[in-house]
Short mmCIF file of all heavy atoms in Angstrom, two decimals:
data_model
loop_
_atom_site.label_atom_id
_atom_site.label_comp_id
_atom_site.label_asym_id
_atom_site.label_seq_id
_atom_site.Cartn_x
_atom_site.Cartn_y
_atom_site.Cartn_z
N TRP A 98 24.03 236.33 116.57
CA TRP A 98 23.38 237.14 115.54
C TRP A 98 22.13 236.44 115.02
O TRP A 98 21.01 236.85 115.31
CB TRP A 98 24.38 237.40 114.40
CG TRP A 98 23.90 238.31 113.30
CD1 TRP A 98 22.64 238.82 113.15
CD2 TRP A 98 24.66 238.79 112.19
NE1 TRP A 98 22.57 239.59 112.02
CE2 TRP A 98 23.81 239.60 111.42
CE3 TRP A 98 26.00 238.63 111.79
CZ2 TRP A 98 24.25 240.24 110.26
CZ3 TRP A 98 26.43 239.26 110.64
CH2 TRP A 98 25.57 240.06 109.88
N ASN A 99 22.35 235.36 114.26
CA ASN A 99 21.23 234.69 113.62
C ASN A 99 21.64 233.26 113.27
O ASN A 99 22.75 233.05 112.76
CB ASN A 99 20.81 235.46 112.35
CG ASN A 99 19.70 234.80 111.58
OD1 ASN A 99 19.94 233.89 110.80
ND2 ASN A 99 18.47 235.26 111.80
N PRO A 100 20.78 232.27 113.52
CA PRO A 100 21.15 230.87 113.23
C PRO A 100 21.52 230.61 111.78
O PRO A 100 22.45 229.86 111.49
CB PRO A 100 19.89 230.09 113.62
CG PRO A 100 19.20 230.97 114.61
CD PRO A 100 19.47 232.37 114.16
N PHE A 101 20.80 231.25 110.85
CA PHE A 101 21.05 231.00 109.43
C PHE A 101 22.32 231.68 108.96
O PHE A 101 23.11 231.12 108.20
CB PHE A 101 19.85 231.46 108.61
CG PHE A 101 18.55 230.84 109.04
CD1 PHE A 101 17.45 231.62 109.39
CD2 PHE A 101 18.42 229.46 109.14
CE1 PHE A 101 16.27 231.05 109.81
CE2 PHE A 101 17.24 228.87 109.56
CZ PHE A 101 16.15 229.67 109.89
N ILE A 102 22.54 232.91 109.42
CA ILE A 102 23.79 233.60 109.08
C ILE A 102 24.95 232.85 109.73
O ILE A 102 26.05 232.77 109.17
CB ILE A 102 23.74 235.07 109.55
CG1 ILE A 102 22.63 235.81 108.81
CG2 ILE A 102 25.09 235.75 109.30
CD1 ILE A 102 22.44 237.24 109.25
N GLY A 103 24.70 232.29 110.91
CA GLY A 103 25.73 231.50 111.59
C GLY A 103 26.15 230.30 110.76
O GLY A 103 27.33 229.96 110.70
N PHE A 104 25.17 229.66 110.13
CA PHE A 104 25.50 228.53 109.27
C PHE A 104 26.41 228.98 108.13
O PHE A 104 27.40 228.31 107.81
CB PHE A 104 24.25 227.89 108.69
CG PHE A 104 24.54 226.85 107.63
CD1 PHE A 104 24.84 225.55 108.00
CD2 PHE A 104 24.57 227.19 106.28
CE1 PHE A 104 25.15 224.59 107.03
CE2 PHE A 104 24.87 226.24 105.31
CZ PHE A 104 25.16 224.94 105.70
N LEU A 105 26.08 230.12 107.51
CA LEU A 105 26.88 230.61 106.39
C LEU A 105 28.29 231.01 106.85
O LEU A 105 29.27 230.82 106.12
CB LEU A 105 26.18 231.79 105.72
CG LEU A 105 24.87 231.44 105.00
CD1 LEU A 105 24.20 232.70 104.46
CD2 LEU A 105 25.14 230.45 103.86
N ALA A 106 28.39 231.56 108.07
CA ALA A 106 29.71 231.88 108.62
C ALA A 106 30.51 230.59 108.81
O ALA A 106 31.71 230.53 108.48
CB ALA A 106 29.56 232.61 109.95
N GLY A 107 29.84 229.57 109.34
CA GLY A 107 30.50 228.28 109.51
C GLY A 107 30.88 227.66 108.17
O GLY A 107 31.93 227.05 108.02
N TRP A 108 30.03 227.85 107.18
CA TRP A 108 30.28 227.32 105.85
C TRP A 108 31.52 227.98 105.23
O TRP A 108 32.35 227.31 104.62
CB TRP A 108 29.06 227.55 104.97
CG TRP A 108 29.17 226.97 103.59
CD1 TRP A 108 29.52 227.63 102.44
CD2 TRP A 108 28.93 225.61 103.21
NE1 TRP A 108 29.52 226.78 101.38
CE2 TRP A 108 29.15 225.53 101.81
CE3 TRP A 108 28.53 224.47 103.90
CZ2 TRP A 108 29.00 224.35 101.10
CZ3 TRP A 108 28.38 223.29 103.19
CH2 TRP A 108 28.61 223.23 101.81
N MET A 109 31.65 229.30 105.41
CA MET A 109 32.79 230.00 104.84
C MET A 109 34.09 229.68 105.58
O MET A 109 35.14 229.52 104.97
CB MET A 109 32.54 231.51 104.85
CG MET A 109 31.40 231.97 103.95
SD MET A 109 31.52 231.35 102.24
CE MET A 109 32.98 232.21 101.66
N ILE A 110 34.04 229.59 106.92
CA ILE A 110 35.26 229.23 107.65
C ILE A 110 35.62 227.78 107.39
O ILE A 110 36.78 227.38 107.48
CB ILE A 110 35.11 229.49 109.17
CG1 ILE A 110 36.50 229.61 109.85
CG2 ILE A 110 34.31 228.39 109.84
CD1 ILE A 110 37.28 230.81 109.45
N MET A 111 34.60 226.98 107.04
CA MET A 111 34.85 225.58 106.69
C MET A 111 35.69 225.52 105.42
O MET A 111 36.53 224.61 105.26
CB MET A 111 33.53 224.84 106.51
CG MET A 111 33.69 223.34 106.40
SD MET A 111 32.14 222.47 106.75
CE MET A 111 31.07 223.13 105.47
N LEU A 112 35.50 226.47 104.52
CA LEU A 112 36.31 226.54 103.30
C LEU A 112 37.78 226.71 103.69
O LEU A 112 38.67 226.07 103.11
CB LEU A 112 35.85 227.72 102.44
CG LEU A 112 36.62 227.96 101.14
CD1 LEU A 112 36.43 226.79 100.20
CD2 LEU A 112 36.16 229.26 100.49
N ASP A 113 38.01 227.56 104.68
CA ASP A 113 39.36 227.77 105.21
C ASP A 113 39.89 226.51 105.87
O ASP A 113 40.94 225.97 105.51
CB ASP A 113 39.31 228.95 106.20
CG ASP A 113 40.56 229.06 107.06
OD1 ASP A 113 41.58 228.47 106.71
OD2 ASP A 113 40.49 229.77 108.09
N TYR A 114 39.13 226.00 106.84
CA TYR A 114 39.60 224.86 107.64
C TYR A 114 39.79 223.58 106.82
O TYR A 114 40.73 222.83 107.03
CB TYR A 114 38.61 224.58 108.77
CG TYR A 114 38.67 225.57 109.91
CD1 TYR A 114 37.72 225.53 110.92
CD2 TYR A 114 39.67 226.53 109.99
CE1 TYR A 114 37.75 226.43 111.99
CE2 TYR A 114 39.71 227.43 111.04
CZ TYR A 114 38.75 227.38 112.03
OH TYR A 114 38.79 228.26 113.07
N ILE A 115 38.85 223.32 105.91
CA ILE A 115 38.93 222.09 105.12
C ILE A 115 40.12 222.13 104.16
O ILE A 115 40.81 221.13 103.95
CB ILE A 115 37.62 221.85 104.34
CG1 ILE A 115 36.54 221.33 105.29
CG2 ILE A 115 37.83 220.85 103.22
CD1 ILE A 115 35.21 221.08 104.61
N LEU A 116 40.36 223.31 103.58
CA LEU A 116 41.41 223.41 102.58
C LEU A 116 42.81 223.56 103.16
O LEU A 116 43.80 223.20 102.52
CB LEU A 116 41.12 224.58 101.63
CG LEU A 116 39.85 224.45 100.77
CD1 LEU A 116 39.74 225.64 99.84
CD2 LEU A 116 39.85 223.15 99.98
N ILE A 117 42.90 224.11 104.38
CA ILE A 117 44.23 224.33 104.97
C ILE A 117 45.04 223.03 105.09
O ILE A 117 46.21 223.00 104.70
CB ILE A 117 44.12 225.03 106.34
CG1 ILE A 117 44.04 226.55 106.13
CG2 ILE A 117 45.31 224.73 107.22
CD1 ILE A 117 44.06 227.37 107.40
N PRO A 118 44.46 221.93 105.63
CA PRO A 118 45.26 220.70 105.68
C PRO A 118 45.75 220.27 104.30
O PRO A 118 46.92 219.90 104.13
CB PRO A 118 44.30 219.68 106.29
CG PRO A 118 43.33 220.48 107.07
CD PRO A 118 43.15 221.73 106.27
N GLY A 119 44.86 220.34 103.31
CA GLY A 119 45.25 219.96 101.95
C GLY A 119 46.36 220.85 101.41
O GLY A 119 47.31 220.36 100.77
N LEU A 120 46.25 222.16 101.66
CA LEU A 120 47.29 223.09 101.22
C LEU A 120 48.63 222.77 101.88
O LEU A 120 49.67 222.73 101.22
CB LEU A 120 46.87 224.52 101.57
CG LEU A 120 47.91 225.62 101.34
CD1 LEU A 120 48.28 225.71 99.87
CD2 LEU A 120 47.39 226.97 101.85
N LEU A 121 48.59 222.52 103.18
CA LEU A 121 49.82 222.22 103.91
C LEU A 121 50.45 220.92 103.43
O LEU A 121 51.68 220.82 103.27
CB LEU A 121 49.52 222.12 105.41
CG LEU A 121 48.98 223.42 106.05
CD1 LEU A 121 48.51 223.14 107.47
CD2 LEU A 121 50.04 224.49 106.04
N TYR A 122 49.61 219.91 103.21
CA TYR A 122 50.12 218.63 102.70
C TYR A 122 50.75 218.80 101.33
O TYR A 122 51.81 218.24 101.04
CB TYR A 122 49.00 217.60 102.62
CG TYR A 122 48.41 217.19 103.94
CD1 TYR A 122 47.05 217.00 104.10
CD2 TYR A 122 49.23 216.97 105.05
CE1 TYR A 122 46.50 216.60 105.32
CE2 TYR A 122 48.70 216.58 106.27
CZ TYR A 122 47.32 216.39 106.40
OH TYR A 122 46.79 216.01 107.60
N LEU A 123 50.07 219.55 100.47
CA LEU A 123 50.54 219.70 99.10
C LEU A 123 51.86 220.47 99.04
O LEU A 123 52.78 220.09 98.30
CB LEU A 123 49.47 220.41 98.26
CG LEU A 123 49.65 220.38 96.75
CD1 LEU A 123 49.74 218.94 96.25
CD2 LEU A 123 48.50 221.10 96.06
N VAL A 124 51.96 221.55 99.81
CA VAL A 124 53.21 222.33 99.84
C VAL A 124 54.36 221.47 100.37
O VAL A 124 55.45 221.41 99.77
CB VAL A 124 53.04 223.59 100.71
CG1 VAL A 124 54.39 224.26 100.95
CG2 VAL A 124 52.08 224.57 100.05
N SER A 125 54.13 220.80 101.49
CA SER A 125 55.17 219.97 102.10
C SER A 125 55.58 218.82 101.18
O SER A 125 56.77 218.51 101.03
CB SER A 125 54.69 219.40 103.44
OG SER A 125 54.36 220.45 104.33
N ALA A 126 54.59 218.20 100.56
CA ALA A 126 54.88 217.08 99.65
C ALA A 126 55.66 217.55 98.43
O ALA A 126 56.55 216.85 97.94
CB ALA A 126 53.57 216.42 99.21
N SER A 127 55.36 218.75 97.95
CA SER A 127 56.07 219.30 96.79
C SER A 127 57.54 219.54 97.13
O SER A 127 58.44 219.26 96.33
CB SER A 127 55.42 220.60 96.33
OG SER A 127 54.09 220.38 95.93
N TRP A 128 57.79 220.08 98.32
CA TRP A 128 59.17 220.31 98.73
C TRP A 128 59.93 218.99 98.88
O TRP A 128 61.08 218.87 98.47
CB TRP A 128 59.20 221.08 100.05
CG TRP A 128 58.73 222.49 99.94
CD1 TRP A 128 58.72 223.28 98.82
CD2 TRP A 128 58.17 223.29 100.97
NE1 TRP A 128 58.21 224.50 99.09
CE2 TRP A 128 57.86 224.56 100.40
CE3 TRP A 128 57.90 223.09 102.32
CZ2 TRP A 128 57.29 225.59 101.14
CZ3 TRP A 128 57.35 224.12 103.05
CH2 TRP A 128 57.05 225.35 102.47
N LEU A 129 59.27 218.01 99.50
CA LEU A 129 59.93 216.72 99.69
C LEU A 129 60.18 216.02 98.35
O LEU A 129 61.17 215.30 98.20
CB LEU A 129 59.07 215.83 100.58
CG LEU A 129 59.12 216.15 102.08
CD1 LEU A 129 58.16 215.26 102.84
CD2 LEU A 129 60.54 215.97 102.62
N ASN A 130 59.29 216.26 97.41
CA ASN A 130 59.46 215.66 96.09
C ASN A 130 60.72 216.19 95.40
O ASN A 130 61.36 215.49 94.62
CB ASN A 130 58.22 215.94 95.23
CG ASN A 130 58.31 215.28 93.86
OD1 ASN A 130 58.42 215.95 92.84
ND2 ASN A 130 58.24 213.96 93.84
N GLU A 131 61.09 217.44 95.73
CA GLU A 131 62.32 218.01 95.18
C GLU A 131 63.55 217.33 95.79
O GLU A 131 64.56 217.14 95.13
CB GLU A 131 62.36 219.52 95.47
CG GLU A 131 61.32 220.32 94.72
CD GLU A 131 61.52 220.28 93.21
OE1 GLU A 131 62.69 220.31 92.78
OE2 GLU A 131 60.52 220.20 92.48
N LEU A 132 63.44 216.98 97.08
CA LEU A 132 64.56 216.31 97.75
C LEU A 132 64.64 214.84 97.40
O LEU A 132 65.72 214.28 97.24
CB LEU A 132 64.42 216.46 99.28
CG LEU A 132 64.70 217.83 99.89
CD1 LEU A 132 64.45 217.80 101.39
CD2 LEU A 132 66.14 218.26 99.60
#
Side-chain angles (χ1 to χ4, degrees):
W98 185 353
N99 177 277
F101 305 125
I102 297 177
F104 171 84
L105 293 176
W108 183 262
M109 295 309 293
I110 200 67
M111 191 161 60
L112 179 64
D113 166 17
Y114 285 172
I115 284 180
L116 296 183
I117 275 185
L120 172 62
L121 298 171
Y122 294 140
L123 193 57
V124 170
S125 300
S127 298
W128 291 336
L129 283 176
N130 183 248
E131 293 295 322
L132 287 178

